[in-house]
Amino acid sequence: MGAIRENWRIAALVVIVLASTFALFGPIGTGTTVQTELVTLSEDENTVSVSESTFFLENTTLETTNESTNEIVASDAEIEIDGDVSNVTDTSAVVTNGTIDVTGGSVVSPKNTSAITATNNSIAVSGEATLRTDNSSVELSVERQQDGGLTNLQYGLDLSGGTRIRAPITGLHVTDLDIGDQPQLASNLSDDLGVDEIDVQVRPRDGVVEVYDGDVGKSEFASALQSAGVDVQASDVQAGVTGQTRETVVNTLQGRIDQTGLSGGSVTTAGDGLVVVEVPNTRPEQVREIVTDRGVVRIVAEVREGGANTTTNTTVITGEDIAGTDPISQEGSEWRTPVTLTESGAEKFQNRMNGVGFTTGNGPANCDRSGGQGSSRPGSYCLLTTLNGEIVSSNSLAPEFGTSLNDGTWAEGTRDFFMTSQTSEQAQDIKLSLDVGSLPTTLNLSQGAQYDLSYIEPSYAQNFKPLSLATGLLAWFAVAGMIFWRYREIRVALPMLFTAIAEVYILLGFAAISGLALDLSHIAGLIAVIGTGVDDLVIMADEILQEGDVATGRVFQSRFRKAFWVIGAAAATTIIAMSPLTILSVGDLFGFAVITIVGVLVGVLITRPAYGDILRNLVLSKDQR
């Protein structure tokens, strides 16, 4: 116990290295990952051999073959399959636990589907197969299942491939306004501008008004504000959105990427109000959909009185009224998303439903959007579930539900009900939008916008991994050569080099446990840490060993403190110099700065003191200590 107490810094280093080993190789990884590549098939090269892959089919004729006996052909068809395919005719098929819908084409099933299955507009191949096109040029998205490797490290765009989008945010805003008491300002502006009220944001306390429609110009926006009695000129209108809205967009997009299981994805801001979205192993069209889908979920009460030809729509539930959701489920042909309302949301829903006449008389169980012909009851009362303004389902109000709303007891109870949709994809989108929140606005990827979209092929990005490893090893061997040349004493140089390696190893463990996606900027930071770390260890060794013999433990401690003061001052300078890079929008320099700062902290708090104990044991006998 005395030896451990005396060398507790070395013991701490060993414990942290073991913890890093668990973080790197323990059961906390993501297992297999999916890599996506875009493959073009044409008359010159119309086949591709794949294994453990998924093909996405859209409006083309494709044929997969497995040992020349199994094939699935899609001719301008939409395929939705969940289960094994059998008994195929020209327009339908019998499946296990699922259906096939064919539009404008046909589906030909393989004789043996053990290796080829189809799910949600895609064909998945679990064994080896060949994909072929006939008389067409097709660009395919091919997902290849790939093992996560020996470690739990995640890799960013530079090392794994994927999509990067750098774009402005759609919107205009005006600040420092004297809005006064105008509770209907947002509604009036939306009417004047011809946009949805959700596209107008008014914050009277901050004196801010924003509009999120790309078709609205500065002059038009200023004119609408002037008509509402606000003193503003067109020159006061600024492009983009406020910092608060931009932060909301960034946080929502990051949550959406995390919720969809796209590991390693990041959303950051850049100069001039730009947002940078990076998602490894993901096709451009997937990322484009993420950043342009606002995810606005509403329930609208649609009322058509008996004998009337027009309807009135009242929004009774928005995403802000939802307290939480439960896993989706299927009930017959419908998909359900269970939700729970907040207390205020439940009160608002109950009052509005009673106010529009849904809960009494002809309201309950009376949804007839066809016009009422043949209906035994007059009028129509439908609850419409909408996603981004599109109706995904329409339902009547259950009589017992109407009774509890009418007598006021529902809002005091569990406040639970479910939203319906026609497909599982819609149900998942509704749940995701409610869990993460809707975007106040989207990234501007319109034709005239100034944005960058880049895609790095995974096969190309994979080449950087061995090159990065080779660069790191080369740096370490170069440093090792200089150390051995300087000291010419293995007992001093070897612990120094292994301490430096332990520092990098701990940083890799930190990256694994924090889910940091390593890019080339992080690799540059690791190499910098090797250099600065060894530099500090050289300062320690020189201060202790080059000023004469170390006769007692007191002399050693005096020299160690002197060296450590220099190292601590250098570390503080480095942290101060790098800190702005972690705050400012500087792109790839952020990763370099983070690794450098964490590496400096690890060195000052863990590895440098441990190396001091190692040197003490080397230069002092037990009696001298």
Side-chain angles (χ1 to χ4, degrees), residues 468-484 493-504 526-527 529-531 534:
S468 300
L469 177 61
T471 303
L473 291 175
L474 181 62
W476 186 80
F477 281 118
V479 171
M482 292 299 298
I483 294 300
F484 278 107
L494 200 59
M496 185 181 297
L497 294 172
F498 277 104
T499 302
I501 284 295
E503 192 170 319
V504 174
L526 291 174
I527 294 174
V529 165
I530 293 176
V534 172

Side-chain angles (χ1 to χ4, degrees), residues 595-618:
I595 289 295
T596 302
I597 291 175
V598 175
V600 168
L601 291 175
V602 168
V604 171
L605 300 177
I606 302 171
T607 57
R608 314 286 191 272
Y611 182 70
D613 283 355
I614 294 173
L615 272 183
R616 184 189 61 197
N617 292 329
L618 290 174

Side-chain angles (χ1 to χ4, degrees), residues 9-81:
R9 297 180 183 89
I10 299 177
L13 176 60
V14 171
V15 170
I16 294 174
V17 167
L18 291 176
S20 299
T21 301
F22 180 80
L24 283 168
F25 303 102
I28 62 173
T30 57
T32 59
T33 58
V34 177
Q35 286 199 333
T36 306
E37 293 187 54
L38 296 180
V39 179
T40 300
L41 302 182
S42 61
E43 293 182 359
D44 297 332
E45 296 182 3
N46 70 333
T47 62
V48 59
S49 297
V50 295
S51 177
E52 304 292 338
S53 301
T54 300
F55 312 108
F56 290 87
L57 310 180
E58 185 175 359
N59 295 330
T60 186
T61 299
L62 302 179
E63 177 181 329
T64 61
T65 60
N66 186 352
E67 298 178 351
S68 300
T69 58
N70 299 338
E71 65 179 18
I72 295 179
V73 178
S75 301
D76 191 21
E78 295 180 0
I79 305 177
E80 297 181 0
I81 303 176

